Amino acid sequence: MSTKYVYFFGAGKADGNAKMKNELGGKGANLAEMTNIGLPVPAGFTISTEVCTYYYAHEKTYPPELEAQVDAAMAQVEKAMGKKFGDTTDPLLVSCRSGARESMPGMMDTVLNIGLNDVTVEALTKASGNERFAWDSYRRFVQMYGDVVMGLKPEKKTDIDPFEDLLEKKKHAAGVHFDNELSVAQLKELVAEFKAAIKAKTGLDFPTDPKKQVWGAVGAVFSSWMNDRAIVYRRTYGIPHEWGTAVNVQAMVFGNLGDDCATGVALTRDGALGTPGYCGDYLINAQGEDVVAGIRTPLRIEETLAKDMPKAFEELDSIGKILEGHYKDVQDIEFTVEKGKVWMLQTRNAKRTGFAAVRIAVDLVEEGKITDKEAISPKRIPADDLNQLLQPVFDLAGKKAAQAGGKLLTKGINAGPGAAFGQIVFHADDAEAIFLKNPKAELVLVRRETTPEDLRGMKVAKGILTAFGGASSHAALVSRQMGKVCVVGASELNIDYEKATVTVGGKTLKEGDFISIDGFTGEVFEGKVDTKPSEVIQVLISKTMKPEESETYQRFAKLMSWADKYRTLKVRTNADEPKQATQAVSFGAEGIGLCRTEHMFFDHVDEFREMILAGDLPSREKALAKLLPFQREDFYGLFKAMNGLPVTIRLLDPPLHEFLPHDHASQADLAAKIGIPADYIARRVHELHESNPMLGHRGCRLGIVYPEITAMQARAIFEAACKLKKEGLTVIPEVMIPLVGYVAEFKNQEKVVREQAEKVFAETGESVEYLVGTMVEVPRACATADQIAGAAEFFSFGTNDLTQTTLGISRDDYGGFINHYKENDIVPNDPFQMIDQAGVGTLMKMGVEKGRSGRPGLKIGICGEHGGEPSSVVFCHKIGLDYVSCSPFRVPIARLAAAQAALADAK
Ligand code: ADP
Ligand code: MG
Ligand code: MG
């Protein structure tokens, strides 16, 4: 039997279903599913992704069986629709649509109205009794086919599209504003002009044979899988290039047959804030992409559709309910109304902002549609998206002041919640270029509308503002997905790309001027508006709001309680100060996984410098004695803030050279302050200079050469702990020796620490429980983890250094090539952001296994930057770590990611 490449759907029954996304792509699988559950879907068939793979493996040719399978499926479509493709009395028209496993909005191509030529267009006129419609369809077909299949595109990005150019000129000559105002004669002229333009540019005649047209479109869709913007998109969202796209060929239904027809896109709930009820756009007497392309300003479904087309609205409403009930999630749908009847053309789980994700998940649980476990799945709430609920929002007072100062420019549609201010930039490429030079640049991309080409620029902008398009426009969709602040359809904006200005209400702003956009309300302000903490932060951290005053907080809290119910991995925080520590505990931290003691030294840098500069032991000890009380106070504060939770303190780690002044003036200053000759300081600075400080005299190597430093730190830790014990508080210090590679290094430092503990306990008459462990951050520690664990009582992976030392890539120097590496698919991700699981991760696994063979039940955590990155958290769970430690603001994210990891495990 030959392979099945083609899957029919129609007349209430489909070969495929929603589970077959790998074969049919998301669009094809869901068209099949909707057919199966009895929704009105025009008949069609899906050519599987396997054909795409074959196409690229065989020099853009098809499996030999394909043609016969396509012919057979087309015959089924004809039967279901009661029309024949290419017929000269009542022709069937089809669309040819791309559709990958994961939706890639606007990245690939679609051609509508295939099957039209000079003969069939007349037949369509007769059959429909609507000549304008027939020619409007033909005009659109030639335009799309000419672009997508025959390749007549603007030469440079900045050039105007050749078809749009002709269309504009025609409208201008006719004295009309919109495409739907053109007469039949004008449409006929346009078709001829389009064809001539194609011929002039490509030398090719426009194909008249409907069958040839279909195959041309199929090939173009497969080819669009490898177009530049699709490749960039896949890289951004981690979609493998091997997946390939499916192609859907589907009978056309028409939204451009008159005023009882429309085309629309909608979400079954609001994708920006998650509010229940339809949220979407429609256009009367229009087709396909018109709604999202910003050709005419679309109408809002929730506002006017019930009035414009009551029957269609009712149908759509019931379809929405069926879909949500069936998919148990908010759907993003595309539909067409043909003579009052609704046809479904697409459904998929809707993209949403972090705000909406949380609201929708909690609401669906409360509506009894999903369980709390389902609510926290990474598909519904990518852990990182919680970040949006913690970001600042505009301050009401700040907005009032801006308003009073006449800074409110206009109001658009709120499409991506949050507050963003930044400098105006009009082109995505410019945004990218500015960002490459200065990654801290704060930019707001201001455009008439955005297109898939703008993706990279949108990625680097803090906010996106468009003049056209509705809640389902490209800008809105992509911002929702990226979690960007976004305002669309601010139609009063008059943007002049040539002059690089935007004019509104008599004011003109230039490129580089500051602008502020409120993604909750759609307001646009001139200049910078002050921000304030989000509601979640106000409740948890600044305590300026009570929990019961914020619904957003309550939903957040509910979600976090579900996460805590299912996770097994503990979450700690990296914090050096009591304030940070307290914040982290409010975010749910269960201890400190890393306190970097050098941060404390920077606060008393002169005394510390004196210690470094000391020429002999007595003077070093004298300097250390000055530092001791500071350190003790710092530890006291931190322990107290953690109130019984474990605190891991890393002993001094960075190369000493970092602390010394490097220029003459500051050396002279220091000399005067601490009474040491400046030339001595200069000599010492010179001596301490290293050509590779990251691999130099640092970590435990410092304490081994200068044990008195370790002794002072240990004493400070235990004195603080004993003092608190006396005051009735529990303290569990965990002393961490950094950069250990040899067990002998560890033992050397452990001895110093334990001696101090005993001394302090004897002196104070108090004692506390404590652990001495190590930070695992060089490959040798992983390779000899069994030996090290024989002595060390806990491990904590320092994945920043472990990545540097495993890859031999310096984190301070990789900026010059990492982007090139990512863009050329040499590395899948930045290894300093996401654990390099195959390399560094393998060493970690080895460290865990060997470590626990040396000491059963060894407590192991991670305190590198990776500890708050969701995919790394999942990895840490998999390899059996006890906890992750991350910066305070990432604690909620890590909690959710840990629960997601535990639930994925349970499956
Ligand atoms: P994309 O993946 O970019 O959304 P689609 O394949 O969904 O592209 O096509 C875009 C739009 O074209 C659809 O939203 C729909 O409005 C219109 N369309 C596609 N196929 C048909 C069809 N068979 N009948 C009517 N409209 C269609
Ligand atoms: Mg679509
Ligand atoms: Mg380190």
Side-chain angles (χ1 to χ4, degrees), residues 143 152-155 159-167 194 197:
Q143 176 167 356
L152 187 61
K153 292 179 197 290
E155 295 203 342
D159 286 357
I160 179 165
D161 178 277
F163 295 111
E164 289 299 331
D165 191 31
L166 291 169
L167 181 59
F194 283 179

Side-chain angles (χ1 to χ4, degrees), residues 9 25-32 34 39-42 97-100 102-106 110 248 250 253 264-268 278 289 316 319 323 327 331-336 343-349 477:
F9 54 87
K27 197 181 288 169
N30 284 327
L31 284 169
M34 286 196 290
L39 296 182
V41 177
R97 318 170 62 189
S98 57
E102 301 241 344
S103 92
M104 296 168 45
T110 286
N248 302 286
Q250 187 177 23
V253 287
V265 293
L267 264 60
T268 53
Y278 263 116
E289 303 287 61
L316 199 65
I319 289 171
L323 283 172
Y327 285 96
Q331 295 297 297
D332 179 342
I333 63 168
E334 298 176 4
F335 64 92
T336 281
W343 289 93
M344 293 303 296
L345 292 167
Q346 194 167 334
T347 192
R348 60 188 169 212
N349 291 341
L477 205 79

Side-chain angles (χ1 to χ4, degrees), residues 547-785:
E548 59 274 20
E549 287 170 344
S550 167
E551 278 184 31
T552 308
Y553 168 75
Q554 288 168 35
R555 288 191 202 101
F556 170 83
K558 205 168 269 175
L559 192 87
M560 293 318 297
S561 76
W562 295 333
D564 290 345
K565 187 158 119 194
Y566 294 111
R567 75 189 160 94
T568 54
L569 199 61
K570 293 219 179 292
V571 178
R572 295 195 187 184
T573 191
N574 298 349
D576 320 322
E577 290 166 14
K579 197 174 140 223
Q580 272 177 357
T582 313
Q583 280 186 354
V585 171
S586 306
F587 281 131
E590 299 163 288
I592 289 181
L594 174 65
C595 161
R596 298 176 170 95
T597 49
E598 58 271 21
H599 289 184
M600 301 178 172
F601 288 127
F602 277 116
D603 290 341
H604 308 286
V605 75
D606 289 337
E607 291 83 353
F608 193 66
R609 285 167 168 170
E610 196 180 329
M611 190 281 291
I612 299 171
L613 293 167
D616 52 21
L617 186 59
S619 38
R620 193 155 43 244
E621 283 185 326
K622 204 178 102 212
L624 282 167
K626 286 193 208 164
L627 285 167
L628 176 67
F630 299 133
Q631 282 254 288
R632 189 176 51 222
E633 279 316 296
D634 286 338
F635 291 140
Y636 177 87
L638 202 60
F639 290 154
K640 193 163 180 175
M642 292 311 284
N643 194 14
L645 296 172
V647 178
T648 305
I649 293 164
R650 177 180 68 184
L651 299 182
L652 189 63
D653 181 60
L656 298 181
H657 190 254
E658 268 185 23
F659 294 89
L660 294 179
H662 291 103
D663 60 284
H664 280 301
S666 28
Q667 287 173 359
D669 263 6
L670 181 66
K673 258 197 224 153
I674 62 175
I676 292 181
D679 58 343
Y680 174 81
I681 296 178
R683 201 179 75 221
R684 197 67 187 130
V685 170
H686 187 70
E687 276 168 16
L688 285 173
H689 174 81
E690 295 175 315
S691 40
N692 243 329
M694 272 298 139
L695 301 177
H697 194 181
R698 56 173 288 228
C700 65
R701 300 158 199 169
L702 290 170
I704 290 173
V705 175
Y706 306 113
E708 53 281 8
I709 300 179
T710 305
M712 182 280 287
Q713 291 202 287
R715 172 166 280 276
I717 292 169
F718 294 114
E719 285 182 356
C722 289
K723 187 168 165 209
L724 279 162
K725 178 94 183 280
K726 255 196 193 114
E727 293 168 15
L729 252 85
T730 331
V731 182
I732 316 172
E734 302 179 347
V735 183
M736 181 154 77
I737 318 287
L739 216 72
V740 163
Y742 294 86
V743 68
E745 289 176 319
F746 180 81
K747 286 184 174 160
N748 172 293
Q749 289 294 284
E750 183 198 11
K751 184 156 169 280
V752 180
V753 172
R754 292 201 188 275
E755 273 170 14
Q756 285 303 317
E758 288 316 311
K759 274 192 196 157
V760 173
F761 295 163
E763 287 162 22
T764 58
E766 281 294 351
S767 70
V768 296
E769 262 180 65
Y770 70 98
L771 302 175
V772 188
T774 185
M775 195 148 165
V776 175
E777 48 189 339
V778 296
R780 196 179 195 282
C782 298
T784 63

Side-chain angles (χ1 to χ4, degrees), residues 7 58 65 67 156 195 220 254 269 271 405 549 658 686:
Y7 294 75
H58 295 82
E65 309 92 302
E67 190 173 342
K156 292 194 304 292
K195 286 184 181 171
F254 300 100
R269 301 180 192 219
E549 287 170 344
E658 268 185 23
H686 187 70

